[in-house]
Amino acid sequence: MVDWEGPLSEAYDRALTYLEALPERRVGPRATAAELHEALGGPLPTGATDPREVVEHLAKGVDDGLLPSGSGRFFGFVFGGATPASLAADWLTTVWDQNAGLYAASPAAAVVEDVTARWLVELFGLPAGTSVGFVTGAQMANFTALAAARHEVLRRAGWDVERQGLSGSPRIRVLAGAERHDTIDRALRFLGLGTDCIEPIPVDDQGRMRADALAEALRENGRGAVPTIVCAQAGNVNTGAFDPVAEVCETAHAHGAWVHVDGAFGIWARVSSGLRQLVDGVEQADSWATDAHKWLNVPYDSGLVFCAHPEPHRAAMSIRAAYLIQDENGERDSLDYNPEFSRRARGIPVYAAIRALGREGIAEIVDRCHAMAERFADHLRTADVEILNDVVLNQVLVRFDDDDAITRRVVTEVQNEGTCWMSGTTWQGKAAMRISVSNWTTGPEDIDRSAEAVLRCLQQVRG
Ligand SMILES: *Cc1c(COP(=O)(O)O)cnc(C)c1O
């Protein structure tokens, strides 16, 4: 009999040890790259090793190189952690090892994803009938949505891009805020449109696309039907600010454009009664990208793409092959909505997360993260530290002594100190520290300890 128990119980013990130590663990890696190579490297194994030993060796070898991003005092990038239900469901997703591309390859995965898709559409208040894809992240969600957009705006111009490609096609205008996320540009590269197709729309001091500037750019379309895609953003990765989505949709639709919204984390504001006005009108867009691995705190990797028009979504993604069994009875074949062929049933942990939290639990996480971001900003302001953004959501941009070098040194110092972890950025030409509160466990004590640590590091840097 195969020994599953040995490696799995080893993994279970180590998982619990890791998770239970997380709240007090140093928030930063402890090993250098050289030390990690030393611990994990060596020649290509030629013979077998006992699986339990492999798990043990691996867990010991990586430990000091882990960035404990599941900590309540991890404020780097926009990461989020993992809730118990989503993490446990993610384990089982691996155990079941379903190929979730086709209904026939996993009826269970197809139905779980179908149910989850409908929950998400309702949660975000998107139009009934919106199609959903469970992808790896907002990068691939942006890619998938923009593929659907590319299909549709060219179809209206009498061009079949899936068959004819882009050589000789009508030109597509892509209008996107100057502070869009870089994954929009990368998606356009993948789609053969190239970054030169982007016409950046000026933004205000918070990074919000200016609706008047968009209207002016769209006027150039004149009366002709120019294939046009507008990329709006719900939640700027630095400031958390939202483009005026309702106005953007109205203006763009008046010119026949497709509106895509990158709401990687910001669209979750829809779930909060206090914050939902930030995303008013978002349901009028044509497609949306978001993440489950950020604010929903589902383990990596888990992104979501939504399309108000299932036809272009399917036209851009679908694939038929003679040897496949594709469902004729309306059950979900995810390869109609995803760029992957074989794929992990990554909707399962999303299902578990939503089921465990419910709408109220999700709203509570969003509201608490917002309150904790405000609390962090308040602590720093009280100590005369400059906050560069309006803290409308979960992002805080901090600048020290109005000085790039000091700001960067404080970021480095904080990372070395280990109480909390955040990274730096450049915002409108100025160096800044980014604080992103995205973890489901972060509470007031985490914020107070972290703010104290930041101020300690500032004193250190000032000498
Ligand atoms: C994080 C983020 C992305 C990219 O998401 P991934 O999940 O890393 O692929 C895109 N847009 C915005 C606004 C983001 O914050």
Side-chain angles (χ1 to χ4, degrees):
M1 215 175 90
V2 176
D3 175 22
W4 295 107
E5 206 270 333
L8 285 179
S9 60
E10 182 72 33
Y12 174 76
D13 290 347
R14 292 193 175 267
L16 268 194
T17 305
Y18 178 79
L19 292 167
E20 287 174 358
L22 209 43
E24 285 311 317
R25 185 180 165 124
R26 176 195 149 78
V27 192
R30 298 180 287 225
T32 62
E35 284 162 352
L36 291 168
H37 279 288
E38 173 70 28
L40 295 158
L44 170 71
T46 47
T49 305
D50 175 64
R52 180 178 199 137
E53 259 174 62
V54 171
V55 173
E56 190 185 0
H57 167 83
L58 179 65
K60 282 186 179 158
V62 301
D63 195 53
D64 284 344
L66 297 173
L67 183 64
S69 50
S71 164
R73 291 186 308 285
F74 183 88
F75 306 107
F77 315 105
V78 190
F79 271 6
T83 58
S86 65
L87 190 150
D90 197 60
W91 277 12
L92 283 175
T93 304
T94 302
V95 170
W96 296 327
D97 195 23
Q98 301 288 283
N99 186 332
L102 293 169
Y103 176 82
S106 180
V111 170
V112 168
E113 292 192 341
D114 191 48
V115 169
T116 312
R118 279 187 281 111
W119 285 351
L120 287 161
V121 167
E122 188 183 335
L123 189 67
F124 293 136
L126 302 181
T130 291
S131 51
V132 183
F134 294 84
V135 293
T136 49
Q139 167 73 78
M140 289 315 287
N142 282 331
F143 166 82
T144 305
L146 290 172
R150 181 184 68 166
H151 168 90
E152 181 60 14
V153 298
L154 288 178
R155 186 195 64 77
R156 290 185 205 147
W159 189 267
D160 179 349
V161 70
E162 277 69 38
R163 202 167 46 79
Q164 296 171 282
L166 285 171
S167 311
S169 79
R171 194 176 71 86
I172 299 179
R173 292 186 79 190
V174 179
L175 308 178
E179 286 290 348
R180 66 191 172 278
H181 196 271
D182 296 286
T183 52
I184 294 289
D185 300 49
R186 193 158 176 242
L188 294 165
R189 278 164 47 198
F190 292 168
L191 288 164
L193 292 166
T195 50
D196 276 358
C197 74
I198 302 170
E199 299 172 53
I201 305 299
V203 293
D204 67 11
D205 63 336
Q206 300 296 311
R208 291 177 292 228
M209 185 197 293
R210 277 179 32 210
D212 61 321
L214 175 69
E216 198 179 307
L218 280 164
R219 266 197 293 279
E220 279 172 38
N221 279 5
R223 289 172 170 281
V226 182
T228 307
I229 300 170
V230 174
C231 295
Q233 181 168 253
N236 175 283
V237 79
N238 284 309
T239 63
F242 291 72
D243 288 349
V245 197
E247 251 180 296
V248 166
C249 288
E250 199 175 317
T251 316
H253 285 156
H255 289 83
W258 175 291
V259 180
H260 170 64
V261 176
D262 176 0
F265 60 98
I267 205 170
W268 293 90
R270 272 294 259 198
V271 188
S272 151
S273 50
L275 297 171
R276 60 176 303 141
Q277 81 285 351
L278 291 168
V279 259
D280 267 353
V282 80
E283 72 285 353
Q284 292 162 40
D286 299 285
S287 60
W288 305 264
T290 191
D291 273 313
H293 58 217
K294 287 180 178 169
W295 232 350
L296 189 59
N297 282 255
V298 165
Y300 283 100
D301 41 25
S302 189
L304 303 160
V305 58
F306 300 88
C307 199
H309 319 287
E311 280 316 314
H313 188 173
R314 274 198 292 268
M317 290 298 133
S318 194
I319 175 168
R320 290 281 175 268
Y323 74 96
L324 298 179
I325 308 166
Q326 290 177 288
D327 197 82
E328 308 287 321
N329 302 319
E331 291 301 338
R332 180 186 172 85
D333 287 326
S334 83
L335 47 70
D336 288 335
Y337 306 100
N338 274 67
E340 297 88 7
F341 194 61
S342 296
R343 56 178 287 277
R344 176 179 178 79
R346 55 173 55 79
I348 292 176
V350 181
Y351 173 93
I354 297 175
R355 182 143 206 132
L357 292 164
R359 184 196 285 273
E360 289 169 8
I362 298 170
E364 194 275 328
I365 293 177
V366 170
D367 287 334
R368 179 158 36 86
C369 287
H370 172 230
M372 292 306 106
E374 284 190 319
R375 187 181 180 100
F376 214 137
D378 286 344
H379 276 308
L380 297 178
R381 274 197 212 97
T382 306
D384 281 331
V385 170
E386 185 186 7
I387 305 299
L388 294 179
N389 66 318
D390 300 338
V391 183
V392 294
L393 197 64
N394 63 334
Q395 303 292 123
V396 186
L397 281 183
V398 190
R399 183 164 166 86
F400 301 95
D401 297 349
D402 197 18
D403 185 290
D404 285 355
I406 290 179
T407 300
R408 293 201 181 100
R409 277 167 57 203
V410 174
V411 171
T412 307
E413 197 60 39
V414 169
Q415 289 179 358
N416 291 338
E417 203 251 8
T419 302
C420 56
W421 200 97
M422 42 274 246
S423 59
T425 188
T426 301
W427 177 248
Q428 297 185 337
K430 293 175 170 181
M433 171 191 268
R434 291 179 71 253
I435 298 170
S436 175
V437 188
S438 320
N439 189 282
W440 70 286
T441 65
T442 300
E445 237 176 82
D446 292 308
I447 300 299
D448 299 353
R449 271 173 74 179
S450 300
E452 277 165 28
V454 169
L455 294 172
R456 250 191 335 266
C457 291
L458 174 61
Q459 290 313 322
Q460 196 105 14
V461 167
R462 281 177 179 160

